[in-house]
Amino acid sequence: MEKITTTRLIEMKQRGEKITALTAYDCPTARLLNEAGIDVVLVGDSVGMVKLGYESTLSVNMEDMLYHARSVKKGNSRAFLAVDMPFLSYESKPSDAVYNAGLLVKIGGAEAVKLEGGREMLKSIRAVIEAKIPVIGHLGLTPQGIHKFGGYKVQGRDPKSAQKMIDDALALEESGVFMLVLECIPAGLAKKITSLLSIPTIGIGAGPHCDGQVLVTDDLLGLSGMSPKFVKKYANLQGDISKAVKKYRKEVRASRFPSRSNSY
Ligand code: KIV
């Protein structure tokens, strides 16, 4: 199957082909997502909450992202590999943004970096793009802004904040961002932004009108214990794992494992 590139993703929007995206934090998961034909594999900074036991994504650092991106890179083949820039790796100085984005490309294998924020991030975004690194924008409920929002709440519900988001989206496109994640916003607003932009929008909790969808893979698999309204659980791996581990424990205690067939 043809390798997914920035050009192909933009073409998919133009052709009305929905883009599929999921997160991965390790090599075997990346391999599975590639085998299933997922278009974009995202090493999200959600790794902090999903895998590293942090309370929010704010504690995630470059070391975490590079470690997980390197592992994902090894299992990735056809999918487009995007990597999140963690909190404080891009906000303070454009030169920091370029350096850290460069590390994600050079060491982590990123084909694009994703960073959160609107017009206030334009300097960093432009600098990264000038360094020839494709950038994915992220608007709406941007988890690194959790303290500003006062919780994980739907954004852009009132006309003023909706208009601000539209203006931010247009400015990001104008600056050269090639794709935009819209998180936890009303479906109607996502539809409007999607129709105004020529770059693809990828929704998470943003309704059906985006050009593509992304979810945290562990949520979809029922492995994270997280079930916000926008998540559809396609499996219950937490339940399956718990059952399997309990059965193993019982069989070891009862000397039923290992059996003859498991022995040499
Ligand atoms: O960190 C993440 O996993 C994300 C997405 C789910 C969009 O940013």
Side-chain angles (χ1 to χ4, degrees), residues 63-239:
E63 209 182 310
D64 297 325
M65 295 311 297
L66 288 170
Y67 177 87
H68 289 279
R70 268 207 319 246
S71 174
V72 169
K73 166 76 185 150
K74 287 186 190 134
N76 197 61
S77 46
R78 170 191 173 260
F80 187 80
L81 180 53
V83 182
D84 267 352
M85 298 201 71
F87 179 60
L88 268 197
S89 69
Y90 57 93
E91 299 90 330
S92 51
K93 277 194 267 155
S95 57
D96 285 355
V98 173
Y99 182 73
N100 288 317
L103 290 181
L104 293 174
V105 171
K106 207 177 174 107
I107 300 172
E111 291 159 12
V113 296
K114 176 165 80 58
L115 56 89
E116 299 182 3
R119 281 162 289 180
E120 71 284 4
M121 288 303 146
L122 280 183
K123 278 191 189 152
S124 290
I125 289 172
R126 285 200 191 105
V128 174
I129 294 171
E130 271 168 29
K132 299 185 280 292
I133 300 169
V135 172
I136 302 171
H138 188 161
L139 295 174
L141 173 55
T142 45
Q144 293 172 15
I146 177 72
H147 296 313
K148 182 179 83 178
F149 299 131
Y152 297 100
K153 298 173 189 160
V154 177
Q155 300 297 307
R157 280 200 195 273
D158 62 277
K160 196 170 159 209
S161 63
Q163 188 57 50
K164 181 183 177 305
M165 211 181 298
I166 293 170
D167 295 341
D168 279 339
L170 290 168
L172 291 184
E173 174 172 69
E174 168 73 27
S175 75
V177 161
F178 83 96
M179 192 155 79
L180 179 63
V181 168
L182 296 172
E183 179 160 353
C184 272
I185 66 170
L189 176 58
K191 184 178 184 185
K192 173 127 201 218
I193 293 174
T194 300
S195 71
L196 286 172
L197 299 184
S198 48
I199 57 169
T201 59
I202 306 293
I204 172 162
H209 308 293
C210 293
D211 299 304
Q213 297 291 328
V214 62
L215 280 178
V216 168
T217 301
D218 292 59
D219 293 347
L220 157 159
L221 295 177
L223 196 52
S224 63
M226 298 281 289
S227 47
K229 179 178 167 162
F230 62 80
V231 170
K232 180 170 174 184
K233 277 196 197 171
Y234 288 82
N236 175 20
L237 292 198
Q238 216 171 43

Side-chain angles (χ1 to χ4, degrees), residues 43-65:
V43 186
D45 62 350
S46 51
V47 68
M49 295 171 80
V50 178
K51 297 293 183 198
L52 304 178
Y54 300 158
E55 256 182 35
S56 72
T57 57
L58 295 174
S59 306
V60 178
N61 57 33
M62 280 295 295
E63 209 182 310
D64 297 325
M65 295 311 297

